[in-house]
Amino acid sequence: KRDDMKSKTPGSAAEQKTELPKPKRARREVSAAPVPPIPENLVWVKQTVFMRGDVSGEGNANEQPAHLVRVGGFLLGRREVTNLEYFTFVKETGKYLPEWIEPGGAYHYQTGADDFYKKLGPALFALDHPVVGVSWQDAVAYCEWESQKGSLRYRLPTEAEWELAAQGGKDRMIYSWGNASPQLALGGNVADES
């Protein structure tokens, strides 16, 4: 019993039931695409419920059990951030170099002890190729920088959003291209099969 909700004098206004404000929803659900125009470099992924995780029973323990997840609608980049876009950001901020170009780093494409990036060859520098070797923190900084250039607020997708988008709306496939294993003829390059 709350004494502050009632007055001790019968018939007073304070004796009437007091309406408490309803709690606000933690997040707004978006079911339809945002008001056009959607920039050409973005796509709208509609709100849905999908099966997330290992649907084949052959995946890693951290992918099990598969479960239904509801994801609200969101905008996602039509393609990955390119070297040209990322290095424009690096030039303007003066920091956030990918690990393969950090002087003295273990992964440096010329002097590093690990030859992972050396194997990528000219693709590593192609301006229209996706940037690689960027930390999560650097990717967040890139999103914040991109957000300052216009009215949209950029962020990294959540794990569930990324999984939904990578599946292309087909949540019962083992791989993004289907259920067949990567083709060795393509070098196991999953991007070429998606």
Side-chain angles (χ1 to χ4, degrees):
K1 178 179 172 184
R2 293 192 50 191
D3 291 336
D4 61 334
M5 296 299 244
K6 288 198 218 178
S7 167
K8 299 199 184 216
T9 309
S12 71
E15 188 176 326
Q16 297 173 6
K17 184 177 179 183
T18 304
E19 257 328 287
L20 296 175
K22 293 181 181 178
K24 293 182 180 177
R25 291 173 62 172
R27 68 180 191 126
R28 187 174 72 104
E29 294 290 334
V30 181
S31 58
V35 177
I38 295 174
E40 280 186 29
N41 64 330
L42 300 174
V43 294
W44 176 251
V45 181
K46 66 181 182 176
Q47 171 180 301
T48 191
V49 175
F50 76 104
M51 186 63 70
R52 180 166 182 232
D54 175 22
V55 296
S56 70
E58 299 173 11
N60 296 324
N62 66 349
E63 300 171 332
Q64 298 172 2
H67 55 284
L68 289 175
V69 174
R70 180 180 180 163
V71 175
F74 62 97
L75 289 169
L76 185 71
R78 187 172 296 278
R79 55 168 175 67
E80 297 90 347
V81 174
T82 65
N83 282 320
L84 177 62
E85 293 165 330
Y86 191 80
F87 280 100
T88 300
F89 158 68
V90 169
K91 185 177 180 181
E92 286 189 21
T93 61
K95 48 189 174 180
Y96 307 111
L97 287 171
E99 65 182 356
W100 57 267
I101 203 167
E102 287 179 358
Y107 296 101
H108 192 275
Y109 72 103
Q110 291 176 327
T111 61
D114 189 302
D115 65 351
F116 177 79
Y117 294 109
K118 295 173 189 175
K119 294 177 183 176
L120 296 178
L124 195 57
F125 300 98
L127 294 179
D128 61 342
H129 280 222
V131 66
V132 296
V134 175
S135 72
W136 182 86
Q137 291 87 353
D138 292 355
V140 168
Y142 177 85
C143 290
E144 291 169 358
W145 173 79
E146 191 69 43
S147 296
Q148 294 172 5
K149 295 174 10 181
S151 61
L152 292 177
R153 169 90 173 97
Y154 290 84
R155 63 173 176 80
L156 296 176
T158 66
E159 191 174 350
E161 289 170 342
W162 177 249
E163 188 169 331
L164 171 65
Q167 292 175 349
K170 299 176 182 170
D171 65 1
R172 299 288 177 174
M173 295 188 311
I174 298 173
Y175 304 104
S176 61
W177 61 85
N179 293 326
S181 296
Q183 298 294 316
L184 292 178
L186 297 174
N189 184 348
V190 296
D192 291 343
E193 299 185 47
S194 297

